[in-house]
Amino acid sequence: MNKQYGLQMTYMQAWRSKEYAVQVLRGNPSESYEKLPSYFYMLVLTNPMSVVSLKKTEEDLFMYAFIALYPSIKGWQYFKPVVVVDGTFLKLTYRGTLLIASTQDPAGNILPLAYAIVDSENNASWEWFFARFKDAFGEREGMCIVSDRHEGIENAAATLYPQVPHCVCIWHLRNNVKKLQKKNHLLLKDIFFAMAKAYTVERFDYHMAEVEKIDKRVKDYLMNVGYERWSRAYSTVNRTLTMTSNIAESINAALKAARELLVLPLLDYISQLIGRWNVTNLKNAVESFTDLGKKYDTMLMDNLELSHQMNV
């Protein structure tokens, strides 16, 4: 402002000017929350059989908002029964946290199943989210939940889905191991991932013996977490290739700029994003002439080529 217009401004004057400009462009933050009931009504009107929920306090103030679009609900039976859940902070005027449950289709494409805006990641908000999720999607055979080791997720999953295995993201678990063993964490890294991805108990036990030689505390820690929660060899459910919560991180990256929007434009942005992804995935599926999706067909062909050099 000084260079272009010769105006001397204090920091607070500049900040207030910026806030005013943002409000002119995007609207009033509190008014955005007031429009949520109307938005939910129109959302269900244009997407029949979608599941939406709005929770308020006794003082009639906003508390939680949940959306599961009908295309996601209808398609759930064709997706992998692996649900990845995660939360990310918002940069709204009143802050808050965005909770998302997502999965992958048989071609490996990411699809958000349900999303919600809550105050923060805590026991109450996660339990409310899982209750709404169960109302919309129910429970499937072979289903499992994948997340980091957030206490709120673990408690809510145990309460609402007591029969569904709750698996741990191996990347987050590895970071916990890194904090436990800082000296040899690089040496443990390759051993840990090889152990987590091992298909046989014998191979798993071989790598665990290597871990025990380096630091028995790490073995005890992993045993307390539960081998069945993070390893392929001991898993009680087929997690397919979903060993991490990376698909949740991918969605967070796609929403990086949108997390600064007001609550109404943010929710609308997510619904439009899901629509665009569905259209793109449908187009790719229609134009595909292989039994598998492009991603997995490429993996199969690469492995087939490598196998020609192997002895039976």
Side-chain angles (χ1 to χ4, degrees), residues 11-291:
Y11 176 86
M12 287 306 299
Q13 286 175 324
W15 184 82
R16 286 197 299 270
S17 300
K18 178 218 168 191
E19 289 296 300
Y20 177 75
V22 169
Q23 185 167 317
V24 169
L25 287 169
R26 297 178 180 173
N28 186 286
S30 60
E31 290 179 0
S32 186
Y33 284 94
E34 292 174 2
K35 294 176 182 177
L36 279 178
S38 301
Y39 172 75
F40 277 11
Y41 173 79
M42 292 305 299
L43 190 68
V44 175
L45 195 66
T46 53
N47 297 270
M49 300 178 70
S50 295
V51 175
V52 300
S53 182
L54 183 63
K55 184 175 181 179
K56 300 179 181 179
T57 64
E58 293 180 356
E59 293 79 20
D60 201 35
L61 299 175
F62 171 84
M63 195 170 179
Y64 304 142
F66 174 92
I67 296 176
L69 298 174
Y70 181 63
S72 297
I73 298 172
K74 183 181 179 182
W76 167 234
Q77 59 185 310
Y78 305 106
F79 298 158
K80 297 178 182 181
V82 182
V83 182
V84 179
V85 294
D86 193 25
T88 183
F89 67 92
L90 298 175
K91 302 175 184 178
L92 310 175
T93 303
Y94 301 110
R95 304 301 178 184
T97 300
L98 178 67
L99 308 182
I100 298 183
S102 52
T103 187
Q104 289 176 293
D105 65 16
N109 299 307
I110 302 172
L111 186 81
L113 293 171
Y115 49 99
I117 292 180
V118 298
D119 51 353
S120 63
E121 287 193 76
N122 52 58
N123 288 342
S125 61
W126 272 116
E127 188 168 329
W128 184 86
F129 178 82
F130 272 104
R132 305 289 80 72
F133 183 88
K134 193 168 186 178
D135 290 341
F137 296 93
E139 187 175 327
R140 279 178 62 186
E141 184 180 354
M143 178 179 170
C144 72
I145 297 168
V146 179
S147 72
D148 57 24
R149 297 202 64 202
H150 192 282
E151 186 179 347
I153 300 177
E154 293 193 357
N155 293 337
T159 302
L160 275 303
Y161 283 102
Q163 304 303 320
V164 174
H166 181 201
C167 304
V168 178
C169 167
I170 60 173
W171 181 257
H172 285 92
L173 187 60
R174 185 260 165 181
N175 287 336
N176 292 345
V177 170
K178 181 179 176 181
K179 295 175 184 176
L180 189 66
Q181 173 52 274
K182 296 181 179 179
K183 184 178 180 181
N184 296 311
H185 71 89
L186 291 176
L187 181 61
L188 279 169
K189 178 182 176 181
D190 293 337
I191 299 174
F192 170 76
F193 284 127
M195 180 169 55
K197 296 178 181 180
Y199 283 98
T200 64
V201 173
E202 291 77 14
R203 175 55 59 178
F204 177 93
D205 292 341
Y206 170 80
H207 290 304
M208 184 56 80
E210 291 183 303
V211 171
E212 189 173 16
K213 289 178 183 177
I214 297 172
D215 193 335
K216 189 178 182 301
R217 293 178 304 162
V218 175
K219 178 186 177 180
D220 293 339
Y221 172 75
L222 294 174
M223 187 182 295
N224 288 333
V225 174
Y227 292 166
E228 73 284 353
R229 297 186 64 194
W230 55 271
S231 72
R232 274 192 183 130
Y234 283 91
S235 180
T236 58
V237 67
N238 183 11
R239 291 172 63 174
T240 65
L241 298 178
T242 314
M243 299 298 293
T244 68
S245 58
N246 283 355
I247 63 173
E249 302 299 335
S250 298
I251 295 175
N252 291 342
L255 298 175
K256 184 178 180 180
R259 279 155 48 198
E260 296 184 8
L261 298 175
L262 302 185
V263 62
L264 198 58
L266 170 63
L267 293 174
D268 198 42
Y269 182 93
I270 297 174
S271 66
Q272 290 183 36
L273 179 70
I274 294 173
R276 289 198 302 271
W277 284 0
N278 282 341
V279 170
T280 301
N281 295 340
L282 176 61
K283 182 175 182 294
N284 291 338
V286 170
E287 296 174 354
S288 176
F289 299 99
T290 59
D291 292 335

Side-chain angles (χ1 to χ4, degrees), residues 299-312:
M299 291 171 63
L300 185 65
M301 292 301 104
D302 289 344
N303 287 335
L304 180 63
E305 186 176 339
L306 290 171
S307 71
H308 290 161
Q309 305 169 18
M310 296 179 176
N311 295 321
V312 177

